[in-house]
Amino acid sequence: MHAHNVFWTQSSAQGVADLDRDVRETVRAGARVLTGGKPLDRPGNFYAPTVLTNIPKSSPAYREELFGPVASIFRAKNIDDAIRIANDCRFGLGASAWTNEDAERERFINELESGMVFINRMVASDTRIPFGGVKWSGHGRELGVHGIREFTNIKTVWIEDAK
């Protein structure tokens, strides 16, 4: 087995600074870093893959989208708690739930407030299916039949006979 250097590049130095600020603020609020948690000291815009736990509700990692290699781990007591945690967010692009139980699968599909729900796989983009979110994660869809309709203009014409 070979050891590999793992790193993630950001689109800009500002992106690295913003991500690092959010991670540091989350840690100051009480979160724990299991790995990573800092920019990498190398040429370019790199941030170490990061895993956070014990994330307080008041922190950026709980209430914001962190655009970078940061995994936020939340511990749920049961399926009700997992759905509550997942929905306690102003965003709703995609959700991934893992279960082999039919009743749990149906609950995730029906109760997760998300534009896309993937069961037993990661959220992905596929040109054959609509892609888009709910809440602050946008409106409308791209890709698939619904997505192509977003690019059409509908004209309404109403004609009445003159009297």
Side-chain angles (χ1 to χ4, degrees):
M1 180 177 293
H2 299 285
H4 296 283
N5 290 328
V6 178
F7 55 88
W8 185 277
T9 184
Q10 296 295 101
S11 63
S12 67
Q14 187 61 54
V16 172
D18 291 347
L19 181 61
D20 190 48
R21 179 198 63 230
D22 288 343
V23 169
R24 284 186 287 110
E25 187 177 321
T26 298
V27 171
R28 275 194 303 273
R32 182 173 167 225
V33 176
L34 296 184
T35 188
K38 63 185 176 194
L40 296 177
D41 186 18
R42 62 178 350 138
N45 304 310
F46 295 98
Y47 200 85
T50 301
V51 177
L52 300 173
T53 62
N54 303 335
I55 300 162
K57 276 187 159 193
S58 62
S59 69
Y62 191 96
R63 66 180 192 276
E64 300 296 332
E65 292 178 306
L66 301 187
F67 290 99
V70 178
S72 299
I73 297 177
F74 299 90
R75 189 177 300 262
K77 298 175 192 131
N78 52 40
I79 189 171
D80 295 320
D81 197 33
I83 291 169
R84 180 196 58 76
I85 292 167
N87 289 341
D88 188 21
C89 179
R90 63 184 175 168
F91 302 104
L93 181 58
S96 176
W98 299 75
T99 182
N100 288 322
E101 296 186 24
D102 292 344
E104 286 185 353
R105 181 183 65 231
E106 292 304 312
R107 289 208 47 209
F108 286 132
I109 290 168
N110 293 318
E111 296 178 35
L112 286 173
E113 297 167 359
S114 180
M116 302 174 290
V117 176
F118 289 72
I119 303 295
N120 298 331
R121 73 172 286 172
M122 298 301 295
V123 174
S125 177
D126 183 310
T127 57
R128 298 169 295 175
I129 59 174
F131 181 92
V134 297
K135 303 184 198 182
W136 281 39
S137 290
H139 28 217
R141 294 293 177 267
E142 55 189 64
L143 308 176
V145 172
H146 297 286
I148 199 68
R149 288 185 179 147
E150 293 289 325
F151 293 97
T152 62
N153 291 317
I154 306 300
K155 181 186 283 188
T156 301
V157 177
W158 185 320
I159 301 173
E160 275 192 42
D161 289 334
K163 294 187 183 175

